[in-house]
Amino acid sequence: MLYSVDYELPVGKLTLAAEEKALVGLWMEGQRYFGSSFQVETFCHEIVPVLKNAVSWLDAYFAGGKPSLENMPLSPQGTDFQLSVWKALCTIPYGKTSTYGAIARQLSAELGRNVSPRAVGNAVGHNPISIIIPCHRVVGADGSLTGYAGGLERKKYLLQLEGVNLSAPVKKNCNFANNKNE
């Protein structure tokens, strides 16, 4: 059974989803790929311990803390390649950014085959546990804010919350109400 809870934030409403023992989803309202392969309408709206843990993590994060992923059981659903990208995202430190190209080079070395930045970008865009798996920390090669399934204004907000200096331009104009058009 899948359980869910909604969580209100300055960036809008989030929906968190979990199995009995692990978080499987965290989506922003209106986000591209919302619910991904799950039937969201069948979620049981009950706060199980793993969801309480995730809400506590989010409370700490949005209060300016740097909560650890150590005690956060995650179970994102995806291909082996997507899982390797999402694992790489978890290594980007709080308050820092990386690029699609840097992640592609890292994975090329780890996997022993050529990985393109475009393939990394596609996997990043399908991250089912946004914020906690920090896909917002990935920027363009020139440092610009490019692509974010939750909307670029949300990405900007999250990076500023973490103290990231955003001197590079935002490549695409986007707002919370129209974030599906990136």
Side-chain angles (χ1 to χ4, degrees):
M1 176 170 290
L2 290 173
Y3 303 92
S4 73
V5 65
D6 291 333
Y7 186 88
E8 286 292 332
L9 292 172
V11 296
K13 184 173 81 171
L14 302 179
T15 297
L16 292 83
E19 296 171 330
E20 198 67 40
K21 304 244 185 236
L23 192 67
V24 297
L26 188 160
W27 304 280
M28 298 175 192
E29 187 172 40
Q31 175 178 330
R32 258 187 292 158
Y33 316 117
F34 185 96
S36 54
S37 61
F38 299 104
Q39 292 182 324
V40 178
E41 62 279 354
T42 65
F43 288 174
C44 177
H45 292 283
E46 180 181 330
I47 301 180
V48 293
V50 70
L51 288 174
K52 285 180 185 176
N53 187 28
V55 166
S56 293
W57 190 99
L58 289 167
D59 286 343
Y61 177 81
F62 283 100
K66 300 175 187 175
S68 170
L69 291 177
E70 189 173 308
N71 296 316
M72 177 65 65
L74 304 175
S75 185
Q77 306 298 307
T79 66
D80 288 343
F81 178 73
Q82 287 173 324
L83 292 170
S84 67
V85 171
W86 302 334
K87 183 178 177 183
L89 295 177
C90 291
T91 67
I92 304 170
Y94 179 98
K96 303 290 182 192
T97 59
S98 187
T99 64
Y100 300 99
I103 294 170
R105 287 187 296 278
Q106 174 188 337
L107 291 176
S108 292
E110 288 175 12
L111 301 174
R113 62 181 171 88
N114 188 35
V115 173
S116 76
R118 186 175 300 260
V120 168
N122 186 40
V124 168
H126 285 82
N127 171 17
I129 307 177
S130 60
I131 303 173
I132 293 175
I133 296 178
C135 52
H136 60 279
R137 295 181 187 153
V138 183
V139 297
D142 62 356
S144 63
L145 299 187
T146 60
Y148 189 60
L152 290 177
E153 289 298 322
R154 287 179 173 140
K155 182 174 187 166
K156 182 178 177 181
Y157 176 88
L158 294 169
L159 290 172
Q160 287 175 328
L161 178 71
E162 294 185 18
V164 173
N165 180 0
L166 297 176
S167 58
V170 174
K171 285 244 175 156
K172 299 177 185 176
N173 190 9
C174 186
N175 62 41
F176 292 165
N178 192 22
N179 59 22
K180 290 184 179 181
N181 295 328
E182 288 183 55

